[in-house]
Amino acid sequence: MICVNELSPGELAALLHFHAEAGVEWLLEEEAVDRFAEFEAMKAAKRSAASSPQATEARETSARPAVQATQRNAPASERAALRPQPSIPDGEAVQQARFAAESARSLPELKTAIEAFNGCNLKHSARSTIVASGDAASGIMVIGSAPGADDDREGQPFAGRPGQLLDKMLAAIGLQRDAIVLTQVIPWRPPGNRIASTAEMDICRPFIERQIALAGPKAILVLGNFAARVFFGETDTIHGLRGQWREIAVVNRIVPAIATLHPQDLLTAPVNKRLAWNDLLAFQAKLAAL
């Protein structure tokens, strides 16, 4: 067990940052909760599933007060996640997402439509809905893979340390975040920063395609493995997909796009910054030629 009294201010700050990156948002609750008892209750409930309906009903009745107390003591964000959510078949959810996306006539309208959409399970565990922000008149769009913990907490794409590094990367080729369009392939942060499933991406695809259509970029910079695979339809790593100009087809438009490493990748492996710099120079040259 870690004792905070034995940590230096720098070590404590690093520990808190680690917990924040892992998605930990609540350290203490208003009342003590016996998690061991909860776990034992869950195991007992599973064992009773095969027993008689009368016995099952009796166990559920006896356990209900404890469950209700746990729900009352949980933070607001956890209580929201405990509420039963509507179950929508994936195919139907994709159709609903496509209808909602195509109905929007502007980026603000699209954000409202996405915030009202309940067909993707990722929304129920996320705090914020991340949609394109910035100046669409620039004709420049940067698209990342998915919101991180900082994005979800602050409600904007590319927040925290990755966002600060991205700002420096853009400034190096004469761009500023407020003067271009920034967004993510997925509008909601996957729990624990996991990779979105194929079904989740299929549901979210109409939203990112509509963002591109409404923003009308002349060129797109794609950041990270997941986003590159989504747009380029390949399974290679970002090292195999980066640095090559491709085309993204949206509605009746073809947009040139180039992929590079995500700022988070560069924070993890700074040695790859030279690769990203080459890609940024290629992106800058393309913009100058348009």
Side-chain angles (χ1 to χ4, degrees):
M1 178 179 294
I2 298 176
C3 179
V4 242
N5 294 331
E6 299 175 357
L7 298 179
S8 68
E11 292 172 332
L12 181 58
L15 178 62
L16 291 175
H17 181 74
F18 169 78
H19 285 313
E21 287 294 326
V24 177
E25 299 177 350
W26 295 88
L27 298 180
L28 299 174
E29 297 182 354
E30 294 180 357
E31 298 181 15
V33 178
D34 190 340
R35 301 299 183 189
F36 294 102
E38 283 185 7
F39 181 66
E40 292 301 326
M42 289 172 59
K43 290 197 298 184
K46 290 181 179 179
R47 287 195 298 267
S48 66
S51 60
S52 66
Q54 294 82 2
T56 300
E57 182 178 357
R59 290 189 183 94
E60 289 179 350
T61 302
S62 63
R64 192 173 297 122
V67 174
Q68 292 174 343
T70 299
Q71 293 177 342
R72 286 195 302 269
N73 293 333
S77 58
E78 292 185 11
R79 289 200 301 271
L82 290 171
R83 298 191 192 105
Q85 303 295 341
S87 178
I88 303 177
D90 293 341
E92 182 180 344
V94 172
Q95 293 298 325
Q96 291 185 7
R98 186 173 294 115
F99 176 79
E102 293 175 353
S103 300
R105 293 293 175 263
S106 66
L107 289 174
E109 283 186 17
L110 181 58
K111 181 175 183 179
T112 300
I114 298 176
E115 289 175 338
F117 181 76
N118 291 313
C120 183
N121 64 297
L122 293 177
K123 177 183 178 181
H124 307 310
S125 60
R127 175 183 297 183
S128 303
T129 297
I130 308 299
V131 184
S133 64
D135 184 7
S138 66
I140 304 171
M141 197 169 191
V142 176
I143 305 178
S145 294
D150 292 318
D151 299 11
D152 191 41
R153 186 163 40 249
E154 298 185 21
Q156 64 176 356
F158 300 105
R161 291 183 64 212
Q164 294 171 6
L165 179 54
L166 178 62
D167 290 345
K168 294 179 180 178
M169 294 166 64
L170 295 174
I173 56 173
L175 300 176
Q176 295 181 349
R177 74 158 55 213
D178 293 338
I180 63 175
V181 177
L182 299 178
T183 191
Q184 306 278 12
V185 169
I186 303 288
W188 302 288
R189 179 199 179 199
N193 291 337
R194 66 169 174 78
I195 298 176
S197 68
T198 301
E200 291 165 345
M201 186 59 238
D202 288 343
I203 295 171
C204 294
R205 186 180 292 274
F207 296 137
I208 185 58
E209 290 182 347
R210 189 59 176 163
Q211 289 178 68
I212 296 174
L214 292 172
K218 299 175 183 176
I220 297 176
L221 179 64
V222 179
L223 301 178
N225 270 328
F226 183 75
R229 290 171 178 174
V230 166
F231 288 121
F232 303 154
E234 300 181 25
T235 58
D236 202 352
T237 68
I238 190 60
H239 289 276
L241 297 173
R242 55 156 291 273
Q244 306 172 45
W245 281 101
R246 319 275 184 121
E247 292 182 340
I248 297 177
V250 178
V251 191
N252 297 321
R253 298 182 67 248
I254 301 295
V255 185
I258 189 172
T260 191
L261 290 93
H262 194 282
Q264 183 60 57
D265 299 333
L266 300 178
L267 289 173
T268 304
V271 68
N272 290 324
K273 287 184 178 181
R274 59 184 178 83
L275 302 177
W277 175 238
N278 290 333
D279 300 335
L280 290 173
L281 291 177
F283 189 66
Q284 183 185 42
K286 186 72 169 183
L287 294 177
L290 293 175

